[in-house]
Amino acid sequence: MPLITSDQATEAALKKDGIIPDVLDSFQSKTLLMVSYGSNKEVALGNTLSVQETQQAPQVSFQAESPSDQYTLFMVDPDAPSRNNPKMREYRHWIVANITGTSDFQPANVAQGAVVSPYMGPAPPAGSGPHRYIFLLYKQTPSTNVSALTTPLAPERQGFKAKQFSSQAHLELVGANYFFAENP
């Protein structure tokens, strides 16, 4: 029986649910991105959480390569207004930049980061089916365009492109996680 690593499991899940290629290209995951909306409400590569239990910003944990590293976290919904009609892809739910790295899996210093786009909980239209809510963790590199991370974004949240934004800001994708939520 072959050994499956966590980065292979992450990539397989992202491909299975169409996140690769809808939002991301294939990438080498470098850290396990753990997201929790409280006890027993862990985000686990495609599990389902209720809209009600995800309205407050979650706790985020990951293992940094170095405590001095800085990271940027995105949360996007590529299924706006529905997966069958994603004309507003991607809907930007949250961006926090300048998150200080930690040396272990303690909650990331998201509260101390620079909020680029305040948290907005899932609100899929009733009857639009399950939406994928994707967390993307990027490492800020020496060439990161910090002004791109601190410049206010347009108030409209729809039509955001994580891949394009991260490329322009020179961010390196190091982790991803996601869940499903819907309003029947």
Side-chain angles (χ1 to χ4, degrees), residues 95 97 116 144-153 165 168-171:
I95 299 179
V116 178
T144 292
N145 180 351
V146 177
S147 67
L149 298 176
T150 57
T151 302
L153 297 173
F165 184 88
Q168 291 171 344
H170 303 283
L171 299 170

Side-chain angles (χ1 to χ4, degrees), residues 14 24 33 35 37 43 58 60 73-76 94 119 133-137 173 175-179:
L14 294 169
L24 305 173
L33 178 59
V35 181
Y37 284 95
V43 173
V60 178
L73 179 73
F74 294 178
M75 178 183 167
V76 297
W94 197 25
Y119 184 82
Y133 292 91
I134 307 162
F135 292 92
L136 303 168
L137 183 67
L173 183 61
N177 204 341
Y178 66 102
F179 68 96

Side-chain angles (χ1 to χ4, degrees), residues 1 4 11 17 34-35 39 47 51-52 59 64 67 85-86 99 103 106 112 116 131 140 154 161 170-171 174 184:
M1 174 186 235
I4 303 291
E11 183 175 32
D17 287 319
M34 296 180 294
V35 181
S39 61
N47 62 326
V51 170
Q52 294 77 18
Q59 200 157 34
N85 182 22
I99 300 167
S103 59
Q106 298 301 314
Q112 311 256 325
V116 178
H131 285 232
Q140 295 174 203
K161 302 291 184 228
H170 303 283
L171 299 170
V174 295

